Amino acid sequence: MSNLKNYLFTSESVSEGHPDKVSDRISDMVVDNYLSKDPFSRVACETLTTTNKVVLAGEVRGPETKKDELIEKVRNCIKDIGYDQEGFTWKEATKIESHLHSQSADIAMGVDSSGNKDEGAGDQGIMFGYACNETDVLMPAPIHYSHKILRLMAEDRKTGKLKNIEPDSKSQVTFEYIDSKPVKVKSVVISSQHSKDVNQAQVIDLLRPYMIKAIPGNFLDGFNDEEFYVNPTGNFVIGGPDGDCGLTGRKIIVDTYGGAAPHGGGAFSGKDPTKVDRSAAYAARYIAKNIVASKISNRCLIQLAYAIGVSKPLSIYVDLFDNDLDKNKFVIEKIKENFDLSPRGIREMLELNKPIYEKTSAYGHFGRTPEKNGSFSWEKTDKLSIFSK
């Protein structure tokens, strides 16, 4: 894609009520639950959601948590998302099972620090970070506006302003790029679960304002309403985990850059910050965002590679998309001089040992606003001076 100047590019998002996102939310709640009691807890939690059933499985190491307490918190997640339907509800009709057990001693041995050995990576793998100047949050436009449509819908649904729309939704935005810059929206798709009380035409009228509110007017100039697709099958009453089984970690492109940048393959949700799948992807985004925010490059892609039990990254790759080899060399040197990219270094730099992950489980892990409690610390642009020549 990098050699093309003029093209169409599409990204999709899914709402917090999408079955896979319900699973991500519950898995991240488990991470937060353990980190709130012991910031050095280890968690790898997978969640399955289906018709009136939730199953938790995985490995944990930390303070004992009573099953009843965890199950109550799962119900709170489902209630907050907005599910109280015949096939999936926060109430007793939905059965919740927990099969969490102790972390493998072999994995623990590779990760733990001991003597003069620093803490190692929790797994091998490659992680990518990306930033570009297409939006004010330095995210690609298609994924940014796909998220925004669904976030605005969810906010109004929860306050009662948006009626007859249920929690399970998807969006998809296609942009036309000219000279590698997004210039206009070519099509928008919103599929949303709705009540039996509204028909297709009413659903279109309910959802059109969210497209208009989410996407800046200059991108919608000349937009053809025939390219606005709402529930193309015509009916979407049965949805959520009742309509489709949900699993943790199946929406990794939605979680990152909408396909505009490579993905290392590892999911984020349900993992504590010793897992470099999560923490190193956050670190790579943090560095890439500061590079683009420093205005030395319009785009930046970073890859980090790790081996299980080894603390330092095996490789650091940087692409600034401008064929300036001296600048590329300068940036790599600055990264090595100023960022400790060991698992411990990343966690301390971004203060990741906090219960901050439940919020990340929907509407993307990137392009969000850093918060006082430490959420989205990797979105700060406080390292500009390192890269400003």
PDB file of all heavy atoms in Angstrom, residues 310-329:
ATOM      1  N   VAL A 310      13.791 -13.465  27.724  1.00  0.00           N
ATOM      2  CA  VAL A 310      14.895 -12.533  27.419  1.00  0.00           C
ATOM      3  C   VAL A 310      14.360 -11.110  27.596  1.00  0.00           C
ATOM      4  O   VAL A 310      13.290 -10.771  27.094  1.00  0.00           O
ATOM      5  CB  VAL A 310      15.414 -12.732  25.973  1.00  0.00           C
ATOM      6  CG1 VAL A 310      16.538 -11.738  25.660  1.00  0.00           C
ATOM      7  CG2 VAL A 310      15.883 -14.171  25.777  1.00  0.00           C
ATOM      8  N   SER A 311      15.117 -10.272  28.299  1.00  0.00           N
ATOM      9  CA  SER A 311      14.558  -8.969  28.663  1.00  0.00           C
ATOM     10  C   SER A 311      14.639  -7.939  27.537  1.00  0.00           C
ATOM     11  O   SER A 311      13.688  -7.193  27.319  1.00  0.00           O
ATOM     12  CB  SER A 311      15.233  -8.425  29.927  1.00  0.00           C
ATOM     13  OG  SER A 311      16.585  -8.154  29.694  1.00  0.00           O
ATOM     14  N   LYS A 312      15.737  -7.877  26.821  1.00  0.00           N
ATOM     15  CA  LYS A 312      15.851  -6.791  25.826  1.00  0.00           C
ATOM     16  C   LYS A 312      15.247  -7.231  24.488  1.00  0.00           C
ATOM     17  O   LYS A 312      15.243  -8.422  24.154  1.00  0.00           O
ATOM     18  CB  LYS A 312      17.314  -6.380  25.652  1.00  0.00           C
ATOM     19  CG  LYS A 312      18.209  -7.420  25.006  1.00  0.00           C
ATOM     20  CD  LYS A 312      19.627  -6.891  24.861  1.00  0.00           C
ATOM     21  CE  LYS A 312      20.488  -7.731  23.934  1.00  0.00           C
ATOM     22  NZ  LYS A 312      20.576  -9.142  24.263  1.00  0.00           N
ATOM     23  N   PRO A 313      14.741  -6.272  23.704  1.00  0.00           N
ATOM     24  CA  PRO A 313      14.205  -6.649  22.393  1.00  0.00           C
ATOM     25  C   PRO A 313      15.300  -7.185  21.479  1.00  0.00           C
ATOM     26  O   PRO A 313      16.448  -6.708  21.529  1.00  0.00           O
ATOM     27  CB  PRO A 313      13.607  -5.350  21.849  1.00  0.00           C
ATOM     28  CG  PRO A 313      14.164  -4.254  22.663  1.00  0.00           C
ATOM     29  CD  PRO A 313      14.602  -4.841  23.971  1.00  0.00           C
ATOM     30  N   LEU A 314      14.978  -8.162  20.656  1.00  0.00           N
ATOM     31  CA  LEU A 314      15.962  -8.744  19.742  1.00  0.00           C
ATOM     32  C   LEU A 314      16.227  -7.811  18.564  1.00  0.00           C
ATOM     33  O   LEU A 314      17.302  -7.828  17.979  1.00  0.00           O
ATOM     34  CB  LEU A 314      15.469 -10.096  19.220  1.00  0.00           C
ATOM     35  CG  LEU A 314      15.059 -11.140  20.267  1.00  0.00           C
ATOM     36  CD1 LEU A 314      14.660 -12.435  19.583  1.00  0.00           C
ATOM     37  CD2 LEU A 314      16.196 -11.399  21.254  1.00  0.00           C
ATOM     38  N   SER A 315      15.208  -7.021  18.212  1.00  0.00           N
ATOM     39  CA  SER A 315      15.394  -6.077  17.102  1.00  0.00           C
ATOM     40  C   SER A 315      14.432  -4.903  17.249  1.00  0.00           C
ATOM     41  O   SER A 315      13.372  -5.025  17.851  1.00  0.00           O
ATOM     42  CB  SER A 315      15.157  -6.766  15.748  1.00  0.00           C
ATOM     43  OG  SER A 315      13.813  -7.175  15.618  1.00  0.00           O
ATOM     44  N   ILE A 316      14.866  -3.764  16.703  1.00  0.00           N
ATOM     45  CA  ILE A 316      14.020  -2.568  16.619  1.00  0.00           C
ATOM     46  C   ILE A 316      14.056  -2.109  15.160  1.00  0.00           C
ATOM     47  O   ILE A 316      15.126  -1.838  14.611  1.00  0.00           O
ATOM     48  CB  ILE A 316      14.543  -1.430  17.527  1.00  0.00           C
ATOM     49  CG1 ILE A 316      14.591  -1.873  18.993  1.00  0.00           C
ATOM     50  CG2 ILE A 316      13.679  -0.184  17.371  1.00  0.00           C
ATOM     51  CD1 ILE A 316      15.290  -0.886  19.917  1.00  0.00           C
ATOM     52  N   TYR A 317      12.878  -2.061  14.539  1.00  0.00           N
ATOM     53  CA  TYR A 317      12.775  -1.646  13.140  1.00  0.00           C
ATOM     54  C   TYR A 317      11.932  -0.376  13.069  1.00  0.00           C
ATOM     55  O   TYR A 317      10.899  -0.270  13.737  1.00  0.00           O
ATOM     56  CB  TYR A 317      12.117  -2.778  12.335  1.00  0.00           C
ATOM     57  CG  TYR A 317      11.625  -2.382  10.953  1.00  0.00           C
ATOM     58  CD1 TYR A 317      12.469  -2.413   9.848  1.00  0.00           C
ATOM     59  CD2 TYR A 317      10.289  -2.014  10.749  1.00  0.00           C
ATOM     60  CE1 TYR A 317      12.013  -2.070   8.580  1.00  0.00           C
ATOM     61  CE2 TYR A 317       9.817  -1.667   9.481  1.00  0.00           C
ATOM     62  CZ  TYR A 317      10.689  -1.702   8.412  1.00  0.00           C
ATOM     63  OH  TYR A 317      10.239  -1.358   7.163  1.00  0.00           O
ATOM     64  N   VAL A 318      12.381   0.582  12.277  1.00  0.00           N
ATOM     65  CA  VAL A 318      11.650   1.843  12.123  1.00  0.00           C
ATOM     66  C   VAL A 318      11.497   2.154  10.638  1.00  0.00           C
ATOM     67  O   VAL A 318      12.459   2.059   9.875  1.00  0.00           O
ATOM     68  CB  VAL A 318      12.399   3.022  12.810  1.00  0.00           C
ATOM     69  CG1 VAL A 318      11.674   4.342  12.553  1.00  0.00           C
ATOM     70  CG2 VAL A 318      12.533   2.773  14.304  1.00  0.00           C
ATOM     71  N   ASP A 319      10.279   2.526  10.217  1.00  0.00           N
ATOM     72  CA  ASP A 319      10.038   2.992   8.850  1.00  0.00           C
ATOM     73  C   ASP A 319       9.324   4.334   8.928  1.00  0.00           C
ATOM     74  O   ASP A 319       8.235   4.440   9.494  1.00  0.00           O
ATOM     75  CB  ASP A 319       9.184   1.980   8.084  1.00  0.00           C
ATOM     76  CG  ASP A 319       9.079   2.310   6.597  1.00  0.00           C
ATOM     77  OD1 ASP A 319       9.546   3.395   6.189  1.00  0.00           O
ATOM     78  OD2 ASP A 319       8.529   1.479   5.846  1.00  0.00           O
ATOM     79  N   LEU A 320       9.959   5.377   8.381  1.00  0.00           N
ATOM     80  CA  LEU A 320       9.376   6.717   8.365  1.00  0.00           C
ATOM     81  C   LEU A 320       8.766   7.052   7.001  1.00  0.00           C
ATOM     82  O   LEU A 320       8.300   8.175   6.784  1.00  0.00           O
ATOM     83  CB  LEU A 320      10.438   7.759   8.731  1.00  0.00           C
ATOM     84  CG  LEU A 320      11.105   7.557  10.101  1.00  0.00           C
ATOM     85  CD1 LEU A 320      12.222   8.572  10.309  1.00  0.00           C
ATOM     86  CD2 LEU A 320      10.089   7.637  11.227  1.00  0.00           C
ATOM     87  N   PHE A 321       8.807   6.098   6.075  1.00  0.00           N
ATOM     88  CA  PHE A 321       8.147   6.212   4.779  1.00  0.00           C
ATOM     89  C   PHE A 321       8.657   7.376   3.925  1.00  0.00           C
ATOM     90  O   PHE A 321       7.916   7.911   3.107  1.00  0.00           O
ATOM     91  CB  PHE A 321       6.618   6.329   4.958  1.00  0.00           C
ATOM     92  CG  PHE A 321       6.013   5.162   5.685  1.00  0.00           C
ATOM     93  CD1 PHE A 321       5.852   5.207   7.067  1.00  0.00           C
ATOM     94  CD2 PHE A 321       5.626   4.015   5.011  1.00  0.00           C
ATOM     95  CE1 PHE A 321       5.296   4.129   7.752  1.00  0.00           C
ATOM     96  CE2 PHE A 321       5.083   2.934   5.687  1.00  0.00           C
ATOM     97  CZ  PHE A 321       4.913   2.982   7.059  1.00  0.00           C
ATOM     98  N   ASP A 322       9.912   7.797   4.126  1.00  0.00           N
ATOM     99  CA  ASP A 322      10.411   8.919   3.314  1.00  0.00           C
ATOM    100  C   ASP A 322      11.798   8.657   2.719  1.00  0.00           C
ATOM    101  O   ASP A 322      12.409   9.552   2.124  1.00  0.00           O
ATOM    102  CB  ASP A 322      10.418  10.216   4.136  1.00  0.00           C
ATOM    103  CG  ASP A 322      11.283  10.103   5.387  1.00  0.00           C
ATOM    104  OD1 ASP A 322      11.980   9.078   5.557  1.00  0.00           O
ATOM    105  OD2 ASP A 322      11.259  11.051   6.208  1.00  0.00           O
ATOM    106  N   ASN A 323      12.308   7.426   2.895  1.00  0.00           N
ATOM    107  CA  ASN A 323      13.605   7.023   2.313  1.00  0.00           C
ATOM    108  C   ASN A 323      14.772   7.910   2.749  1.00  0.00           C
ATOM    109  O   ASN A 323      15.787   7.990   2.053  1.00  0.00           O
ATOM    110  CB  ASN A 323      13.526   7.003   0.774  1.00  0.00           C
ATOM    111  CG  ASN A 323      12.532   5.965   0.281  1.00  0.00           C
ATOM    112  OD1 ASN A 323      12.496   4.851   0.788  1.00  0.00           O
ATOM    113  ND2 ASN A 323      11.714   6.341  -0.691  1.00  0.00           N
ATOM    114  N   ASP A 324      14.627   8.582   3.897  1.00  0.00           N
ATOM    115  CA  ASP A 324      15.717   9.401   4.432  1.00  0.00           C
ATOM    116  C   ASP A 324      16.514   8.537   5.414  1.00  0.00           C
ATOM    117  O   ASP A 324      16.154   8.408   6.585  1.00  0.00           O
ATOM    118  CB  ASP A 324      15.139  10.634   5.122  1.00  0.00           C
ATOM    119  CG  ASP A 324      16.220  11.603   5.599  1.00  0.00           C
ATOM    120  OD1 ASP A 324      17.357  11.147   5.858  1.00  0.00           O
ATOM    121  OD2 ASP A 324      15.918  12.800   5.744  1.00  0.00           O
ATOM    122  N   LEU A 325      17.599   7.938   4.906  1.00  0.00           N
ATOM    123  CA  LEU A 325      18.344   6.957   5.707  1.00  0.00           C
ATOM    124  C   LEU A 325      19.006   7.596   6.921  1.00  0.00           C
ATOM    125  O   LEU A 325      19.074   6.982   7.999  1.00  0.00           O
ATOM    126  CB  LEU A 325      19.395   6.254   4.837  1.00  0.00           C
ATOM    127  CG  LEU A 325      18.845   5.445   3.653  1.00  0.00           C
ATOM    128  CD1 LEU A 325      19.970   4.775   2.884  1.00  0.00           C
ATOM    129  CD2 LEU A 325      17.837   4.398   4.124  1.00  0.00           C
ATOM    130  N   ASP A 326      19.487   8.820   6.784  1.00  0.00           N
ATOM    131  CA  ASP A 326      20.129   9.495   7.917  1.00  0.00           C
ATOM    132  C   ASP A 326      19.120   9.759   9.037  1.00  0.00           C
ATOM    133  O   ASP A 326      19.420   9.567  10.217  1.00  0.00           O
ATOM    134  CB  ASP A 326      20.763  10.823   7.467  1.00  0.00           C
ATOM    135  CG  ASP A 326      22.014  10.589   6.628  1.00  0.00           C
ATOM    136  OD1 ASP A 326      22.622   9.511   6.770  1.00  0.00           O
ATOM    137  OD2 ASP A 326      22.366  11.482   5.836  1.00  0.00           O
ATOM    138  N   LYS A 327      17.941  10.215   8.636  1.00  0.00           N
ATOM    139  CA  LYS A 327      16.904  10.472   9.635  1.00  0.00           C
ATOM    140  C   LYS A 327      16.490   9.172  10.326  1.00  0.00           C
ATOM    141  O   LYS A 327      16.290   9.132  11.539  1.00  0.00           O
ATOM    142  CB  LYS A 327      15.693  11.124   8.970  1.00  0.00           C
ATOM    143  CG  LYS A 327      14.711  11.735   9.988  1.00  0.00           C
ATOM    144  CD  LYS A 327      13.294  11.841   9.467  1.00  0.00           C
ATOM    145  CE  LYS A 327      13.176  12.790   8.297  1.00  0.00           C
ATOM    146  NZ  LYS A 327      11.773  12.893   7.829  1.00  0.00           N
ATOM    147  N   ASN A 328      16.356   8.107   9.542  1.00  0.00           N
ATOM    148  CA  ASN A 328      15.971   6.804  10.092  1.00  0.00           C
ATOM    149  C   ASN A 328      16.993   6.331  11.129  1.00  0.00           C
ATOM    150  O   ASN A 328      16.640   5.880  12.225  1.00  0.00           O
ATOM    151  CB  ASN A 328      15.855   5.777   8.963  1.00  0.00           C
ATOM    152  CG  ASN A 328      14.833   4.702   9.255  1.00  0.00           C
ATOM    153  OD1 ASN A 328      13.642   4.932   9.156  1.00  0.00           O
ATOM    154  ND2 ASN A 328      15.299   3.537   9.650  1.00  0.00           N
ATOM    155  N   LYS A 329      18.273   6.500  10.785  1.00  0.00           N
ATOM    156  CA  LYS A 329      19.366   6.102  11.691  1.00  0.00           C
ATOM    157  C   LYS A 329      19.327   6.946  12.970  1.00  0.00           C
ATOM    158  O   LYS A 329      19.495   6.440  14.085  1.00  0.00           O
ATOM    159  CB  LYS A 329      20.709   6.290  10.968  1.00  0.00           C
ATOM    160  CG  LYS A 329      21.900   5.676  11.679  1.00  0.00           C
ATOM    161  CD  LYS A 329      23.150   5.844  10.813  1.00  0.00           C
ATOM    162  CE  LYS A 329      24.383   5.495  11.614  1.00  0.00           C
ATOM    163  NZ  LYS A 329      25.619   5.833  10.884  1.00  0.00           N
TER     164      LYS A 329
END
